[in-house]
Amino acid sequence: MSELKRTPLYDAHVAAGATMVDFGGWEMPIQYPTGIVSEHLYDRKHCGIFDVSHMGRLIVEGPERVAFLQKVLSSNVAALVPGRAQYCIIPTETGGAVDDAYLYMYEEDRYMLIVNASNTDKDLEHFAKYLPHYDCTITNITDTYSSIAVQGPDAEKILKVLSGGVEISGPRKNDLNELNMEGRTVRVSKTGYTGDPIGWELFTDAAEVNWLWHRLIELGAQPIALGARDTLRLEAGLPLYGHEMGADASGAEMPIFAVSLAKFAVSFAEEKADFIAKDILKAQKENGTAKKVVPIALIDRGVMRAGMDIYKDDRHIGWVTSGTMVPYYNFDENGQILDTTGKRSIGFAYIDSAVSMDDVIEIDVRGKRLKAKPVTRHMIQNEPPYGKADVSI
């Protein structure tokens, strides 16, 4: 068994009493002593910080960098300009996902591609099949360049202390910026994996990341581990590779357009020319897919988990891809946050596309059929500074 990798913040996690686990070959915190529920709620009401230094960071540069990325990514790379980022998918030749990723353009002559931690080596092997045909290079900077996500209502206030009052970034999602934070260079991206209306991801040299982490804590942010990161992304309705992308519970490849985010990630712009699985993906978009990934909420009491079978009228229609019990804050009729909280069982399902939003489905939870319902969303994200649970079901 190979030795687990560690981020530069490993000692900080251990000192904070974190429970460490194997996550995609990395020794990462699953929760701190306050627990997942407390961490989730702190992020939604105040500010959470997340060590995402395990994510793969790749630099793509060279004369034919754009042509290469247009070939291997689903997005229109030519539309990206300095100071902007875009969500994308790395397609297989058969229309599934090798991985999903984010492409950043901080400079005119290079790109930074962020991929899932457990997929970094696999993604590089995939790229290696196409790279020899292009005059460009890929450099893995995961070990020398670190990242912290700063999310939640107080994120901007905290970061502005470090920036000396300078605006953190432009107002749009995917805006990028480079800041001087107390004498250190920090690159920021108006992105995140929590669904919080306010939040950024920060990139800095690995040698500086411990300083940044501890300064953020001094200013009121609280460390959030992988357990709460998962409940936050689930509440936000954000897919996770290996659950909502990749292979389904039977081992079959899931088509990219089974996920609703594909409409933002896949481009058929003329300048993309011929990219991997273009015709297959176009057919998926035009004709639909046999199954689709949708948010679901449990009506009956219980907890759904990934891999559980789903039925409609005693017919097997798919599986839960992600599911757990998620906490939330209550709000009054004026939209003001209250101190009272609740919990609900929510998730994603990969089910027959014929199932409608009005249908009631059943999940096999340890031999008992529990009623559930497809929903349009789990969370209201357009009323900053708070992300609010949509408990209308």
Side-chain angles (χ1 to χ4, degrees), residues 25-45:
W26 291 79
E27 196 166 4
M28 296 292 293
I30 191 69
Q31 66 176 25
Y32 295 94
T34 55
I36 292 173
V37 170
S38 175
E39 293 171 31
H40 180 114
L41 293 173
Y42 195 90
D43 174 86
R44 290 287 186 239
K45 191 173 184 179

Side-chain angles (χ1 to χ4, degrees), residues 340-357:
T340 59
T341 62
K343 290 183 181 179
R344 58 193 175 140
S345 183
I346 61 174
F348 275 116
Y350 185 51
I351 54 177
D352 290 356
S353 291
V355 175
S356 76
M357 302 304 294

Side-chain angles (χ1 to χ4, degrees), residues 268-299:
F268 298 101
E270 186 176 345
E271 57 263 39
K272 269 194 72 64
D274 182 33
F275 63 96
I276 295 172
K278 175 183 177 180
D279 292 340
I280 296 174
L281 294 177
K282 195 167 187 178
Q284 288 179 13
K285 180 181 180 182
E286 293 174 352
N287 304 325
T289 58
K291 282 185 166 59
K292 61 185 177 180
V293 175
V294 296
I296 55 172
L298 205 58
I299 298 172

